[in-house]
Structures are given as structure tokens and as C-alpha cells.
Amino acid sequence: MAKIIQHTTTRKGSAYLYLTCLVAALGGFLFGFDTAVISGTVSLVKHDFSLDAVSEGWFVSCALLGCIAGVSFSGKLSDKYGRKIVLILSAVMFLASALGCMWSGSFTALIIFRLIGGLGIGVASMVSPLYISEFSPSRYRGMMVSLYQLALTIGIVVAYFSNAYLAAHANDSYSEGSMRTVFSAEVWRAMLGLGAAPAFIFLLSLFAVPESPRWLLLKGREQKAEQILIKIDGEEAAASEIRAFKEQDDNNDKSLKELFKPVYRKALWIGLLLPFLSQVCGINAVIYYGPRILEQAGFTLNNALGGQVTIGLVNVVFTFVAIFTIDKWGRRPLLFAGTGGAVAALLIIGALFALNITSGLWILIFILAFIACFAFSFGPVCWVIVSEIFPNAVRGKAMALATLSLWIGNFLVGQLTPVMLEGLGSSWTFWLFALSCSPALWLTWKLIPETKGRSLENIEKYWKDDYARSQPDGSPLPIATNHK
């Protein structure tokens, strides 16, 4: 009878865990959707507002300014007020941006609401994986955080399909004036406004999920944290989590200066370099400029757009590889395999362009191979690692710093890819991406520890023991893997 009760409790805890993490992962869906939906609106907005090249570029890139600002304040806010309230703030910004863009009466208003959407992206890109990491038991943490990346890739594909559908039906008859404007005469309004639906679902769902138990512990609200931990994984695991948390000697909320101490130097380098390298490998060059690259490979425009949808689908499918293997094989094996495969695929793509092989099919095959390698390694594993390597006391602020590094890499790729394609050609562009990607192999080999199955407190202890080992007369404690 006791086994039956325990099994029932475990099933309820698993359902609670999955549902809560899925709600938080909706932030990733909105991130992906908002990032990709812009690709279908640029030419339409340019026509309707008679934009010059500078204004066109500002329309595309203004959200990035919001992203950087959103990341900058989200870490401090989430550490002070909690992860949940900041996620609610991001949902409100997503909703306001979608509705505002749909009904904006001028180009200036459109830019303002795009900036608000960028703030939402910046906040969600940091707080969503952080919340999931702190909420999940160590044995499931890799899979749960990978749900964020999966949701992001699904958001990209949904944006591609919704743009194509709305564009194809723009000539349908609409009797009402406002409906005609949004869905026909200025269909870009419907493309941007469609994001209001998932944003509203995200906002409502967040009121049903609890606060991060580790943030509650950090604020001294042990009883509430214990209730949540018991609901997730049972009384024994909850007691173990709280005991491990209390054993840490620096759980009081501290400034970001804590992260710059020598003991956390490796964690800081990983947090800054891994997200940056995940962008300069060229993933967003393919996401943003895929049709142009495929056209250079010999595809017609329609076929190039179809290839872009295929790229999005492959991105989704291979993210499942990480979801089902990251807590079995570990983070390092996925990074080694994926990064090595990505470098090889980029070198081959460059060679195909250099040899003037005009069969676009071969180019597409190796672009898909690159996307597949990224999808089961860099994409999800980066978010998992940066959400678990930082100490409890400054995790929110440190995650913000790591996410800012990601957005800087994103910005550089977005700005430089058109220049490289035009000035250097496709072959050297992809070879430079391969060169930029390859340091991640060294980073994985020399600095990144295997964190599979370890509690967040155990990982924090690892850095202290590792630093002690590097000192004369250091006497580190053994690191026990916590298999909750």
C-alpha cells in the first residue's frame, strides 16, 4: 500500500514539474516567434511606410536594443523581487508589443512597440531558463531547461508558417474595414499581432505557477520553499535540498562582485564565452538570411523560402535529441559531438561555395547538418550550463551577464553577415563561422565540468573545491554526485 501511495505521489510530482516548466518555457516560444516573425514583415512595412535603407534597418534591429536593456535590468529585478513576477512583466510586454504593433498608427509608434517587445525578449531569454533550472530536480534539470530551447525553435517555425499562411490569404474578402486593414491591405499587422495569443496564454498561466523555491530560500522563506519542493519531489528530496542550501556559507543576496572572485573565475569565463560562441558560429545568419544564402546556392526565391521552413523543422526535431539524452549522456559529450559536427559542416559548406558547386541540394544538406548539430548541442546545452554553474547568491545577475554576452554575439552576426556575404563571398563567410565556432571545443575540454546529476549547491561547491586544489596546501572536499 505504501508503494502505491509513493508511486501516485511521484506521478503527481512529475506532472506538476512538467506543467510548471512548460509554462516557463512559453517565454522561449515567444522569444522564437518574435525573433522570426519579423522576416515576413520587412518588405511590407518598407512599402507601406516608404522606408529608406536606414529606417528599414532600424525597424529590424530596434528590438535588439530592447533586448539588451531587458537583459540588463532583469537580473537585478529577478534577484530582488522574484523570478515569477519578472516573468509576468515579460508576458505583459510581449502582449503590449503584439497589440501595439498591430494597431500602430505611425512608424514611430511601431518602433516604440517593437522596443517594448525587445524588452520582453531580453527578460524572457534570461529568466525563463533560470526559473526552470532552479525549479527542477537535478536528475531532470537538463531535460527541463532544454524544453525552453525546444519552445524557442517551435516559435520560429510557427512564425514562418503563420507568415506564409497570412500572406497567402491576404487577398481574401473582408467586409469590415478594420479586418480588411489588418488581414488584407496591411497584412504585416496580423503577422505581428498574432503573437498576442500565446502572450495572453503565457500571462494567464504564470499566475498558476509558484515562485522559484531557491529564490524563496534565498529570501528566508523556508516554509513556502519546502512546500513547493515536497510537491515536486517528495519530503526526503525536499529535506536534502534545504539541507544542502543551508550548508552553503554565502547564500545571502550579494552584488555581482561576488562572481569576479578568483573562486568563480572559471564559471565566469564559461558564462561569458559559451553563449557568445553559440551565436558567432553563424546560427542566426542561417535563421535570418537563409533565403538569401540558398538563392546564392541556386534556389529560386520560393524554393529558398521552402528550404527555410525545412531548416526550422530540423531545428525542432534535433532539439529532441538533447531533451532525451542530456541527463543520460551529459552536457560535455553533446557539446563535443555537436560543436565538432557544426565545424565540419561549416567547412564543407564553404568548400562547396568555393568550388562553385551549383547544386543547391548539397548546400541545403550540409546547412541542415549544421542546424542539426547546433540543435542538439549549442542551442539547448548552452542554456542548461549557464543556468546551473553560477552561485545561488548571484545567479540572477550572473545569468543576465551571460545572456547579454549572447545578445552581443547575436548583434555582431546580424550586422556583419550581409557585409561578409557581399564583401567576402559565401565560402569565406562560412569558413569564418567555422573558425569562430571551434574555440568551443577547447572551452568544453579545458573549463566546462560535467554537471549531469549534480544539485546546484553541489556545482557551487565544485568551484570552491577546484579553486582549493589549485592553491598550495589546498585541501578540497570530495565532490559527491547528487542523484535525487
Side-chain angles (χ1 to χ4, degrees), residues 219-240:
K219 297 301 179 180
R221 297 163 63 180
E222 183 178 327
Q223 186 175 359
K224 182 62 177 176
E226 184 179 22
Q227 291 173 357
I228 296 170
L229 289 170
I230 290 173
K231 197 170 182 181
I232 295 170
D233 210 23
E235 293 184 6
E236 185 177 344
S240 176

PDB file of all heavy atoms in Angstrom, residues 219-240:
ATOM      1  N   LYS A 219      15.575  34.204   0.215  1.00  0.00           N
ATOM      2  CA  LYS A 219      14.908  35.294   0.936  1.00  0.00           C
ATOM      3  C   LYS A 219      14.430  34.865   2.321  1.00  0.00           C
ATOM      4  O   LYS A 219      13.706  35.611   2.989  1.00  0.00           O
ATOM      5  CB  LYS A 219      13.715  35.810   0.118  1.00  0.00           C
ATOM      6  CG  LYS A 219      14.115  36.418  -1.216  1.00  0.00           C
ATOM      7  CD  LYS A 219      15.070  37.580  -1.048  1.00  0.00           C
ATOM      8  CE  LYS A 219      15.491  38.184  -2.373  1.00  0.00           C
ATOM      9  NZ  LYS A 219      16.421  39.319  -2.204  1.00  0.00           N
ATOM     10  N   GLY A 220      14.807  33.668   2.764  1.00  0.00           N
ATOM     11  CA  GLY A 220      14.469  33.219   4.107  1.00  0.00           C
ATOM     12  C   GLY A 220      13.061  32.666   4.261  1.00  0.00           C
ATOM     13  O   GLY A 220      12.611  32.441   5.394  1.00  0.00           O
ATOM     14  N   ARG A 221      12.384  32.405   3.161  1.00  0.00           N
ATOM     15  CA  ARG A 221      11.009  31.888   3.230  1.00  0.00           C
ATOM     16  C   ARG A 221      11.038  30.369   3.095  1.00  0.00           C
ATOM     17  O   ARG A 221      10.566  29.776   2.133  1.00  0.00           O
ATOM     18  CB  ARG A 221      10.159  32.546   2.145  1.00  0.00           C
ATOM     19  CG  ARG A 221      10.047  34.054   2.347  1.00  0.00           C
ATOM     20  CD  ARG A 221       9.584  34.791   1.118  1.00  0.00           C
ATOM     21  NE  ARG A 221       8.236  34.399   0.705  1.00  0.00           N
ATOM     22  CZ  ARG A 221       7.612  34.915  -0.348  1.00  0.00           C
ATOM     23  NH1 ARG A 221       8.212  35.861  -1.069  1.00  0.00           N
ATOM     24  NH2 ARG A 221       6.400  34.513  -0.669  1.00  0.00           N
ATOM     25  N   GLU A 222      11.612  29.739   4.134  1.00  0.00           N
ATOM     26  CA  GLU A 222      11.883  28.304   4.079  1.00  0.00           C
ATOM     27  C   GLU A 222      10.612  27.459   4.028  1.00  0.00           C
ATOM     28  O   GLU A 222      10.544  26.461   3.296  1.00  0.00           O
ATOM     29  CB  GLU A 222      12.731  27.902   5.289  1.00  0.00           C
ATOM     30  CG  GLU A 222      13.118  26.429   5.288  1.00  0.00           C
ATOM     31  CD  GLU A 222      13.989  26.071   6.471  1.00  0.00           C
ATOM     32  OE1 GLU A 222      14.794  26.933   6.914  1.00  0.00           O
ATOM     33  OE2 GLU A 222      13.859  24.920   6.958  1.00  0.00           O
ATOM     34  N   GLN A 223       9.614  27.822   4.784  1.00  0.00           N
ATOM     35  CA  GLN A 223       8.398  27.009   4.836  1.00  0.00           C
ATOM     36  C   GLN A 223       7.712  26.935   3.478  1.00  0.00           C
ATOM     37  O   GLN A 223       7.291  25.850   3.047  1.00  0.00           O
ATOM     38  CB  GLN A 223       7.424  27.588   5.879  1.00  0.00           C
ATOM     39  CG  GLN A 223       6.180  26.728   6.101  1.00  0.00           C
ATOM     40  CD  GLN A 223       5.306  27.274   7.220  1.00  0.00           C
ATOM     41  OE1 GLN A 223       5.615  28.279   7.844  1.00  0.00           O
ATOM     42  NE2 GLN A 223       4.202  26.598   7.476  1.00  0.00           N
ATOM     43  N   LYS A 224       7.601  28.069   2.798  1.00  0.00           N
ATOM     44  CA  LYS A 224       6.983  28.089   1.480  1.00  0.00           C
ATOM     45  C   LYS A 224       7.814  27.302   0.474  1.00  0.00           C
ATOM     46  O   LYS A 224       7.272  26.537  -0.343  1.00  0.00           O
ATOM     47  CB  LYS A 224       6.830  29.541   1.008  1.00  0.00           C
ATOM     48  CG  LYS A 224       6.155  29.687  -0.343  1.00  0.00           C
ATOM     49  CD  LYS A 224       4.730  29.162  -0.341  1.00  0.00           C
ATOM     50  CE  LYS A 224       4.055  29.387  -1.683  1.00  0.00           C
ATOM     51  NZ  LYS A 224       2.694  28.790  -1.723  1.00  0.00           N
ATOM     52  N   ALA A 225       9.123  27.463   0.547  1.00  0.00           N
ATOM     53  CA  ALA A 225      10.010  26.723  -0.349  1.00  0.00           C
ATOM     54  C   ALA A 225       9.891  25.221  -0.125  1.00  0.00           C
ATOM     55  O   ALA A 225       9.848  24.427  -1.076  1.00  0.00           O
ATOM     56  CB  ALA A 225      11.455  27.176  -0.131  1.00  0.00           C
ATOM     57  N   GLU A 226       9.803  24.819   1.143  1.00  0.00           N
ATOM     58  CA  GLU A 226       9.684  23.397   1.471  1.00  0.00           C
ATOM     59  C   GLU A 226       8.395  22.810   0.905  1.00  0.00           C
ATOM     60  O   GLU A 226       8.391  21.688   0.379  1.00  0.00           O
ATOM     61  CB  GLU A 226       9.735  23.208   2.987  1.00  0.00           C
ATOM     62  CG  GLU A 226       9.720  21.752   3.419  1.00  0.00           C
ATOM     63  CD  GLU A 226       9.797  21.603   4.925  1.00  0.00           C
ATOM     64  OE1 GLU A 226       9.451  22.569   5.638  1.00  0.00           O
ATOM     65  OE2 GLU A 226      10.184  20.514   5.393  1.00  0.00           O
ATOM     66  N   GLN A 227       7.294  23.542   0.990  1.00  0.00           N
ATOM     67  CA  GLN A 227       6.026  23.066   0.447  1.00  0.00           C
ATOM     68  C   GLN A 227       6.132  22.805  -1.052  1.00  0.00           C
ATOM     69  O   GLN A 227       5.631  21.791  -1.551  1.00  0.00           O
ATOM     70  CB  GLN A 227       4.930  24.100   0.716  1.00  0.00           C
ATOM     71  CG  GLN A 227       4.544  24.253   2.178  1.00  0.00           C
ATOM     72  CD  GLN A 227       3.575  25.405   2.403  1.00  0.00           C
ATOM     73  OE1 GLN A 227       3.224  26.134   1.486  1.00  0.00           O
ATOM     74  NE2 GLN A 227       3.136  25.575   3.654  1.00  0.00           N
ATOM     75  N   ILE A 228       6.784  23.696  -1.759  1.00  0.00           N
ATOM     76  CA  ILE A 228       6.935  23.537  -3.210  1.00  0.00           C
ATOM     77  C   ILE A 228       7.845  22.357  -3.526  1.00  0.00           C
ATOM     78  O   ILE A 228       7.543  21.529  -4.397  1.00  0.00           O
ATOM     79  CB  ILE A 228       7.493  24.830  -3.832  1.00  0.00           C
ATOM     80  CG1 ILE A 228       6.499  25.977  -3.637  1.00  0.00           C
ATOM     81  CG2 ILE A 228       7.773  24.638  -5.313  1.00  0.00           C
ATOM     82  CD1 ILE A 228       7.062  27.332  -3.997  1.00  0.00           C
ATOM     83  N   LEU A 229       8.971  22.254  -2.809  1.00  0.00           N
ATOM     84  CA  LEU A 229       9.921  21.165  -3.057  1.00  0.00           C
ATOM     85  C   LEU A 229       9.299  19.797  -2.768  1.00  0.00           C
ATOM     86  O   LEU A 229       9.550  18.823  -3.486  1.00  0.00           O
ATOM     87  CB  LEU A 229      11.176  21.368  -2.208  1.00  0.00           C
ATOM     88  CG  LEU A 229      12.081  22.535  -2.634  1.00  0.00           C
ATOM     89  CD1 LEU A 229      13.156  22.796  -1.575  1.00  0.00           C
ATOM     90  CD2 LEU A 229      12.736  22.246  -3.978  1.00  0.00           C
ATOM     91  N   ILE A 230       8.489  19.722  -1.726  1.00  0.00           N
ATOM     92  CA  ILE A 230       7.794  18.460  -1.420  1.00  0.00           C
ATOM     93  C   ILE A 230       6.838  18.096  -2.550  1.00  0.00           C
ATOM     94  O   ILE A 230       6.746  16.942  -2.965  1.00  0.00           O
ATOM     95  CB  ILE A 230       7.035  18.575  -0.079  1.00  0.00           C
ATOM     96  CG1 ILE A 230       8.028  18.628   1.086  1.00  0.00           C
ATOM     97  CG2 ILE A 230       6.066  17.398   0.101  1.00  0.00           C
ATOM     98  CD1 ILE A 230       7.378  18.901   2.431  1.00  0.00           C
ATOM     99  N   LYS A 231       6.141  19.080  -3.058  1.00  0.00           N
ATOM    100  CA  LYS A 231       5.193  18.843  -4.153  1.00  0.00           C
ATOM    101  C   LYS A 231       5.903  18.387  -5.421  1.00  0.00           C
ATOM    102  O   LYS A 231       5.386  17.579  -6.197  1.00  0.00           O
ATOM    103  CB  LYS A 231       4.402  20.125  -4.425  1.00  0.00           C
ATOM    104  CG  LYS A 231       3.143  19.919  -5.234  1.00  0.00           C
ATOM    105  CD  LYS A 231       2.305  21.188  -5.256  1.00  0.00           C
ATOM    106  CE  LYS A 231       1.002  20.967  -6.034  1.00  0.00           C
ATOM    107  NZ  LYS A 231       0.179  22.208  -6.075  1.00  0.00           N
ATOM    108  N   ILE A 232       7.131  18.859  -5.623  1.00  0.00           N
ATOM    109  CA  ILE A 232       7.896  18.489  -6.812  1.00  0.00           C
ATOM    110  C   ILE A 232       8.469  17.088  -6.693  1.00  0.00           C
ATOM    111  O   ILE A 232       8.341  16.266  -7.602  1.00  0.00           O
ATOM    112  CB  ILE A 232       9.058  19.482  -7.047  1.00  0.00           C
ATOM    113  CG1 ILE A 232       8.532  20.881  -7.359  1.00  0.00           C
ATOM    114  CG2 ILE A 232       9.955  19.012  -8.205  1.00  0.00           C
ATOM    115  CD1 ILE A 232       9.619  21.941  -7.363  1.00  0.00           C
ATOM    116  N   ASP A 233       9.106  16.785  -5.532  1.00  0.00           N
ATOM    117  CA  ASP A 233       9.933  15.578  -5.479  1.00  0.00           C
ATOM    118  C   ASP A 233       9.849  14.808  -4.163  1.00  0.00           C
ATOM    119  O   ASP A 233      10.665  13.926  -3.910  1.00  0.00           O
ATOM    120  CB  ASP A 233      11.394  15.971  -5.734  1.00  0.00           C
ATOM    121  CG  ASP A 233      12.180  14.863  -6.403  1.00  0.00           C
ATOM    122  OD1 ASP A 233      11.555  13.997  -7.043  1.00  0.00           O
ATOM    123  OD2 ASP A 233      13.421  14.869  -6.290  1.00  0.00           O
ATOM    124  N   GLY A 234       8.905  15.144  -3.285  1.00  0.00           N
ATOM    125  CA  GLY A 234       8.743  14.383  -2.054  1.00  0.00           C
ATOM    126  C   GLY A 234       9.496  14.974  -0.873  1.00  0.00           C
ATOM    127  O   GLY A 234      10.378  15.832  -1.026  1.00  0.00           O
ATOM    128  N   GLU A 235       9.148  14.509   0.325  1.00  0.00           N
ATOM    129  CA  GLU A 235       9.691  15.078   1.557  1.00  0.00           C
ATOM    130  C   GLU A 235      11.184  14.844   1.709  1.00  0.00           C
ATOM    131  O   GLU A 235      11.924  15.731   2.136  1.00  0.00           O
ATOM    132  CB  GLU A 235       8.946  14.482   2.762  1.00  0.00           C
ATOM    133  CG  GLU A 235       7.482  14.907   2.849  1.00  0.00           C
ATOM    134  CD  GLU A 235       6.814  14.383   4.112  1.00  0.00           C
ATOM    135  OE1 GLU A 235       7.529  13.800   4.956  1.00  0.00           O
ATOM    136  OE2 GLU A 235       5.588  14.561   4.251  1.00  0.00           O
ATOM    137  N   GLU A 236      11.647  13.637   1.373  1.00  0.00           N
ATOM    138  CA  GLU A 236      13.060  13.319   1.554  1.00  0.00           C
ATOM    139  C   GLU A 236      13.940  14.196   0.666  1.00  0.00           C
ATOM    140  O   GLU A 236      14.953  14.751   1.124  1.00  0.00           O
ATOM    141  CB  GLU A 236      13.305  11.844   1.223  1.00  0.00           C
ATOM    142  CG  GLU A 236      14.739  11.383   1.488  1.00  0.00           C
ATOM    143  CD  GLU A 236      14.931   9.904   1.216  1.00  0.00           C
ATOM    144  OE1 GLU A 236      13.917   9.174   1.117  1.00  0.00           O
ATOM    145  OE2 GLU A 236      16.092   9.485   1.093  1.00  0.00           O
ATOM    146  N   ALA A 237      13.559  14.340  -0.602  1.00  0.00           N
ATOM    147  CA  ALA A 237      14.333  15.173  -1.520  1.00  0.00           C
ATOM    148  C   ALA A 237      14.286  16.633  -1.099  1.00  0.00           C
ATOM    149  O   ALA A 237      15.285  17.358  -1.198  1.00  0.00           O
ATOM    150  CB  ALA A 237      13.803  15.019  -2.945  1.00  0.00           C
ATOM    151  N   ALA A 238      13.119  17.080  -0.612  1.00  0.00           N
ATOM    152  CA  ALA A 238      12.986  18.471  -0.166  1.00  0.00           C
ATOM    153  C   ALA A 238      13.919  18.754   1.012  1.00  0.00           C
ATOM    154  O   ALA A 238      14.595  19.793   1.053  1.00  0.00           O
ATOM    155  CB  ALA A 238      11.531  18.755   0.211  1.00  0.00           C
ATOM    156  N   ALA A 239      13.946  17.825   1.962  1.00  0.00           N
ATOM    157  CA  ALA A 239      14.829  17.998   3.123  1.00  0.00           C
ATOM    158  C   ALA A 239      16.287  18.046   2.691  1.00  0.00           C
ATOM    159  O   ALA A 239      17.084  18.837   3.224  1.00  0.00           O
ATOM    160  CB  ALA A 239      14.604  16.861   4.115  1.00  0.00           C
ATOM    161  N   SER A 240      16.648  17.190   1.722  1.00  0.00           N
ATOM    162  CA  SER A 240      18.019  17.167   1.215  1.00  0.00           C
ATOM    163  C   SER A 240      18.384  18.492   0.543  1.00  0.00           C
ATOM    164  O   SER A 240      19.484  19.019   0.733  1.00  0.00           O
ATOM    165  CB  SER A 240      18.187  16.016   0.223  1.00  0.00           C
ATOM    166  OG  SER A 240      19.468  16.024  -0.362  1.00  0.00           O
TER     167      SER A 240
END
